[in-house]
Amino acid sequence: TQVLRKSLQRGVVLSTGSFLVYEAHKLISGFAKVHASFKVEDVIEQADYLYGSGETEKLYRLLVQHKNSDDAELLWRLARSARDLAQLGSTSAEEKKQLTYDSLEYAKKALEKNESNFAAHKWYGICLSDVGDYEGIKTKIGNAIIIKEHFQRAVELNPKDATTIHLIGVWCYSFAEMPWYQRKIAATLFATPPTSTFQEALRYFHMAEEADPNFYSKNLLFLGKTYLKLNNKKMALLWLSKAKEYPAQTEEDKQV
């Protein structure tokens, strides 16, 4: 009886000990998860500050340390920063190409981690288009439908994102303006080749402006260019004047 009592007591002690170890493990794991989430939030906050300050190189150096992250918010920001770095005039042609392909991989990974992240769809579409510049017009046209689908999905997930609406407008403008030899390539790639009109492009540029007025110099420029294509010089002058007067903050603004 004493042996049995001791065995039972020992069993209770072991069970209690195991329970305490388990609870401690849960507590430590929970703390680690909370700590990790705070860390991600801190990195994102710092990244957004650097992006807003135009610190392209510093931003990339910060985010590339997290290229193996499972967080879609970090990964799409990394895709954007790699692309922005590639666009700098100081970036060599070889580095530009590598960064362009890297940005697509980061955007792809962001999508894999969270298919419901609108920015991941937007940057995947942008980066896929950029890669097409290295792989020729056939690949670029071949990817066109995929690119538009990702832009449209991004707008479904976030209807207020003016830049994605603008990008759909650019897509429409590009196909409306497509020269005959590119149309011939499109006809060989698709049973029904993608087409658009300047009227459709104009609708998206206006939708973008309604979502966020005066948000982007290039949207103003494209409104002017599209009205020119439609032979409405009065409206073209209005929007081109707005583009000209836009306060230039970036290299792209200066080019516009």
Side-chain angles (χ1 to χ4, degrees):
T1 305
Q2 285 179 335
V3 171
L4 180 61
R5 191 182 298 117
K6 284 181 181 180
S7 295
L8 287 169
Q9 285 173 341
R10 186 167 175 266
V12 169
V13 170
L14 284 172
S15 297
T16 305
S18 298
F19 173 76
L20 289 171
V21 168
Y22 173 68
E23 286 300 307
H25 171 71
K26 278 206 304 182
L27 185 64
I28 292 164
S29 298
F31 174 77
K33 284 176 186 173
V34 170
H35 181 70
S37 69
F38 276 125
K39 187 178 178 183
V40 168
E41 287 168 10
D42 289 346
V43 173
I44 288 172
E45 186 178 350
Q46 192 179 350
D48 289 347
Y49 173 78
L50 290 172
Y51 181 75
S53 304
E55 296 281 1
T56 306
E57 293 178 29
K58 284 183 184 176
L59 175 59
Y60 177 74
R61 285 199 299 271
L62 169 70
L63 291 174
V64 78
Q65 298 174 66
H66 304 279
K67 64 182 180 180
N68 295 319
S69 171
D70 289 331
D71 193 285
E73 288 291 327
L74 272 177
L75 290 166
W76 75 253
R77 283 173 170 83
L78 175 55
R80 180 182 66 182
S81 73
R83 183 183 185 269
D84 286 349
L85 188 59
Q87 302 293 315
L88 291 182
S90 56
T91 304
S92 70
E94 190 178 338
E95 287 173 321
K96 180 181 171 75
K97 184 176 180 180
Q98 185 61 56
L99 285 164
T100 299
Y101 278 89
D102 286 348
S103 65
L104 179 61
E105 285 305 307
Y106 301 141
K108 183 181 177 183
K109 192 177 175 186
L111 265 183
E112 288 168 357
K113 298 302 177 185
N114 186 358
E115 196 277 335
S116 296
N117 188 299
F118 89 92
H121 282 280
K122 174 168 78 172
W123 287 99
Y124 182 80
I126 292 169
C127 296
L128 185 60
S129 178
D130 288 346
V131 164
D133 292 339
Y134 290 99
E135 300 192 350
I137 193 67
K138 193 171 181 178
T139 298
K140 200 165 180 72
I141 294 172
N143 287 335
I145 296 293
I146 300 166
I147 291 165
K148 190 180 183 185
E149 284 172 353
H150 281 284
F151 289 159
Q152 288 174 325
R153 179 66 178 137
V155 172
E156 284 172 15
L157 292 165
N158 184 2
K160 302 231 177 245
D161 186 55
T163 54
T164 311
I165 301 169
H166 163 81
L167 289 167
I168 298 175
V170 173
W171 189 98
C172 294
Y173 186 96
S174 300
F175 273 93
E177 193 183 40
M178 184 178 281
W180 68 268
Y181 67 92
Q182 290 185 7
R183 290 185 190 280
K184 205 166 183 180
I185 294 170
T188 65
L189 294 172
F190 301 100
T192 308
T195 59
S196 190
T197 63
F198 291 117
Q199 286 87 350
E200 188 178 14
L202 187 69
R203 183 168 63 85
Y204 279 108
F205 294 138
H206 274 298
M207 281 171 61
E209 209 59 34
E210 286 165 17
D212 190 2
N214 215 41
F215 74 103
Y216 188 26
S217 60
K218 212 163 187 179
N219 198 62
L220 303 174
L221 176 66
F222 267 98
L223 276 161
K225 287 174 67 174
T226 309
Y227 272 116
L228 270 180
K229 292 287 186 182
L230 295 169
N231 294 315
N232 188 334
K233 291 184 179 179
K234 184 179 177 182
M235 290 301 292
L237 181 62
L238 170 71
W239 289 103
L240 290 172
S241 296
K242 288 186 178 186
K244 183 176 178 291
E245 291 159 12
Y246 192 90
Q249 295 177 327
T250 66
E251 188 60 35
E252 189 176 46
D253 291 335
K254 291 172 189 173
Q255 290 169 3
V256 164

